[in-house]
Amino acid sequence: MPVLVPTSLDQAVSMLSATPDALVLAGGTDAMVEVNAGHRKPHHVLVVNRVAELRSWTFDPEASTVRIGSAVTYAELMEPPIADLVPALAEASRTVGSPQIRHAGTLGGNLGTCSPAGDGLPVLAALDAIVHLASATGERSMPIGEFMVGVKRNARRPDELITAVTVPVVSGYQGYSKVGVRNAMVIALATACIVVDTPGRTVRLAIGSVGTTIIRCTDAEAFAASAVDFDSGTASGDTVTRFGELAAAASRPIDDHRATADYRRHAIGVMAGRLLRRGFANV
Amino acid sequence: MSDPTVPDPTVPEPTGSVGFDELYQLNVNGETRDVRDAWVGESLLYVLRERLGLMGSKGACEQGECGSCSVMVDGELVCSCLVMAASAIDQPIVTIEGVAPIGSPSDVQQAFVDAGAVQCGFCTPGLIMATHALLERSAEPSEFEIREELSGNVCRCTGYGRIIEAVQRVSVSRRADAESGIAS
Ligand SMILES: Cc1cc2nc3c(=O)[nH]c(=O)nc-3n(C[C@H](O)[C@H](O)[C@H](O)COP(=O)(O)OP(=O)(O)OC[C@H]3O[C@@H](n4cnc5c(N)ncnc54)[C@H](O)[C@@H]3O)c2cc1C
Ligand code: FES
Ligand code: FES
């Protein structure tokens, strides 16, 4: 039975345990590129994007969290009401590929591929998302920082499916910024996501495409928490400059055929400063 | 609260599967079509063109970059080169051949001709699919919206100006038809 199209999670995990070599296929926007190029020749395919539990998201008002099924597409993440609950994820989704890619591509696929240039990942990192996995033998959950292990490597076992992520609904500005050679259809050269938690008095910053995996800029975060004025929603020009410098210092970029390390580091500084400026008015 | 656009999980559907040498069926342009002797990894683009003889969808990059293979699967505009054909069992597929009968073009097709938005024509089927999808969702898109919504379709001939004009012409004429009470 080479192509399996389950519609429930129970079916899906038991099929995967019966055929552990199956290619797990969601939107196919990463996997089919490899299949078309002959880099991947699957004998078995497990199609997960018709599994009802993975196709939906739910808001828990008591916990103030959103649980997003792994097969929810970027196009769906861009639509209210979820776009209003997790605005940075909607912004990041809009930068992915093209409408065709956003209709098929899923957040779970971004996690599965785990490229440092994945546009969903800096948002999940800045939100301290929890990743949920399930297999025929049980479920487990882990922080996004533990799930992402390295370049295109994650902590998923072959018998597991990524089922969902849980993110908090945060009160405060959040935004996503991406640099590439054009606006559409571009692999990021550098990305940044800011999440301001106004009641919690924290600023979180995650950067992508500038290291083996997504980096949280803890020095910049600690500095911002003490330097911005949460009550008036303002920050000084010096604070913005310093925040950008600390973010750039946290990056670990490399030179490659798409950009130099220097360019990427510079871009991180500019984007971090701009994002802080969008969240806090100038004083 | 949950997203109303996703299928109701309480309605059970049978699990589908397609075997090695099995025949499987795809629902293309309202017809059930048999696919025989296919390898599991074949893309929908390949199956449409090479196995079902539907040559309207074009293949260029086979990596989702150019949009010339755009079709609708289950109501969504996607690149058929990135859809594994066997994964689309039981889902309605609409290709350029299903947009309008030969000889009586859709308003979008006619507008592309009238505006001079077709040169070599290689990108055109994908752009027609994308334009129908765009106008379905947004009847009067701004130029910015048109550019963003068509950003997954690459044209190497026209420079896009006439394509955008064609989209705007359809939008204007559909509104005029609606205002004068003519059903389109
Ligand atoms: C033209 C083009 C442009 C693109 N632009 C961007 C961009 O701008 N930004 C960006 O971030 N990405 C981009 N991508 C990459 C891709 O669209 C994303 O990474 C997307 O999130 C992949 O999701 P998918 O559902 O299509 O994954 P698939 O291709 O179906 O799967 C990707 C990987 O994840 C695994 N997987 C998927 N779902 C699960 C699951 N539930 N459990 C376990 N494993 C799973 C698969 O086995 C596979 O290894 C682009 C791709 C193309 C072709
Ligand atoms: S052939 Fe599918 S996008 Fe180019
Ligand atoms: S008309 Fe030639 S590619 Fe568009």
Side-chain angles (χ1 to χ4, degrees):
Chain A
M1 289 295 187
V3 179
L4 302 161
V5 191
T7 52
S8 80
L9 186 56
D10 279 350
Q11 289 168 355
V13 291
S14 62
M15 285 168 172
L16 187 58
S17 80
T19 43
D21 69 327
L23 166 65
V24 176
L25 190 73
T29 60
D30 278 321
M32 279 303 285
V33 173
E34 294 186 13
V35 172
N36 289 344
H39 298 148
R40 232 160 153 169
K41 294 194 172 69
H43 294 295
H44 301 274
V45 180
L46 180 70
V47 180
V48 295
N49 66 0
R50 281 193 251 173
V51 173
E53 293 95 323
L54 308 185
R55 288 284 299 115
S56 57
W57 60 269
T58 49
F59 172 49
D60 179 347
E62 238 149 71
S64 199
T65 56
V66 181
R67 185 182 163 110
I68 306 168
S70 57
V72 172
T73 64
Y74 295 109
E76 288 162 348
L77 292 170
M78 286 165 64
E79 294 296 325
I82 190 168
D84 300 327
L85 292 168
V86 201
L89 196 53
E91 270 186 34
S93 297
R94 190 173 166 193
T95 75
V96 172
S98 65
Q100 286 90 330
I101 301 299
R102 298 194 287 268
H103 288 140
T106 66
L107 198 53
N110 219 224
L111 285 162
T113 298
C114 214
S115 158
D119 283 304
L121 305 181
V123 181
L124 297 181
L127 287 169
D128 289 317
I130 303 293
V131 180
H132 306 287
L133 301 149
S135 70
T137 54
E139 294 177 14
R140 58 183 186 133
S141 300
M142 65 182 76
I144 178 82
E146 283 173 32
F147 178 82
M148 301 184 296
V149 176
V151 177
K152 301 203 170 177
R153 287 196 305 128
N154 63 47
R156 179 181 83 91
R157 293 195 314 257
D159 67 326
E160 284 178 317
L161 289 178
I162 303 159
T163 52
V165 294
T166 300
V167 295
V169 175
V170 186
S171 168
Y173 173 74
Q174 45 184 269
Y176 184 71
S177 193
K178 170 175 176 177
V179 172
V181 289
R182 56 185 281 238
N183 278 338
M185 202 69 91
V186 81
I187 300 176
L189 299 175
T191 60
C193 178
I194 198 170
V195 171
V196 179
D197 181 346
T198 307
R201 296 289 196 259
T202 58
V203 174
R204 279 123 74 169
L205 184 72
I207 56 179
S209 269
V210 287
T212 55
T213 181
I214 308 302
I215 297 168
R216 276 285 291 268
C217 304
T218 46
D219 290 347
E221 292 179 359
F223 165 75
S226 62
V228 302
D229 186 335
F230 287 99
D231 293 317
S232 63
T234 55
S236 70
D238 287 347
T239 298
V240 170
T241 306
R242 185 77 191 126
F243 185 71
E245 287 167 1
L246 289 168
S251 67
R252 297 281 172 271
I254 53 163
D255 290 321
D256 70 9
H257 61 288
R258 291 187 289 120
T260 63
D262 281 348
Y263 177 79
R264 291 186 153 106
R265 193 176 298 109
H266 177 74
I268 291 292
V270 172
M271 288 191 294
R274 254 182 220 165
L275 287 168
L276 192 69
R277 181 48 78 221
R278 286 185 199 153
F280 295 91
N282 201 357
V283 283
Chain B
M1 179 167 34
S2 72
D3 187 346
T5 62
V6 305
D8 181 358
T10 58
V11 182
E13 273 180 55
T15 299
S17 68
V18 174
F20 271 113
D21 309 313
E22 267 175 49
L23 164 85
Y24 67 93
Q25 278 85 32
L26 292 178
N27 176 341
V28 186
N29 301 327
E31 283 176 39
T32 303
R33 301 289 304 264
D34 289 344
V35 181
R36 287 170 208 279
D37 304 325
W39 172 60
V40 16
E42 284 174 5
S43 72
L44 179 59
L45 173 66
Y46 183 88
V47 167
L48 289 170
R49 290 180 57 88
E50 307 299 331
R51 300 200 182 277
L52 302 180
L54 294 167
M55 299 294 185
S57 307
K58 305 298 177 204
C61 68
E62 304 204 359
Q63 50 182 346
E65 303 264 350
C66 74
S68 60
C69 65
S70 299
V71 301
M72 305 294 287
V73 175
D74 207 23
E76 301 283 3
L77 182 75
V78 294
C79 297
S80 61
C81 68
L82 298 183
V83 175
M84 195 174 277
S87 79
I89 53 170
D90 308 324
Q91 288 182 314
I93 298 161
V94 181
T95 70
I96 187 69
E97 289 88 350
V99 163
I102 289 172
S104 59
S106 72
D107 55 353
V108 173
Q109 288 171 318
Q110 190 60 51
F112 269 62
V113 174
D114 295 343
V118 182
Q119 287 185 26
C120 80
F122 196 82
C123 67
T124 311
L127 272 159
I128 300 288
M129 297 306 293
T131 302
H132 273 289
L134 158 63
L135 292 172
E136 196 81 350
R137 209 177 37 256
S138 172
E140 291 177 43
S142 64
E143 182 181 332
F144 185 85
E145 206 178 339
I146 297 171
R147 287 186 182 275
E148 184 169 358
E149 290 301 307
L150 299 185
S151 63
N153 294 79
V154 175
C155 174
R156 41 161 220 175
C157 302
T158 65
Y160 302 102
R162 287 162 186 237
I163 291 170
I164 289 158
E165 193 193 318
V167 178
Q168 287 166 334
R169 283 190 189 203
V170 181
S171 164
V172 167
S173 70
R174 282 189 188 180
R175 188 169 79 178
D177 287 353
E179 279 169 3
S180 64
I182 302 166
S184 58

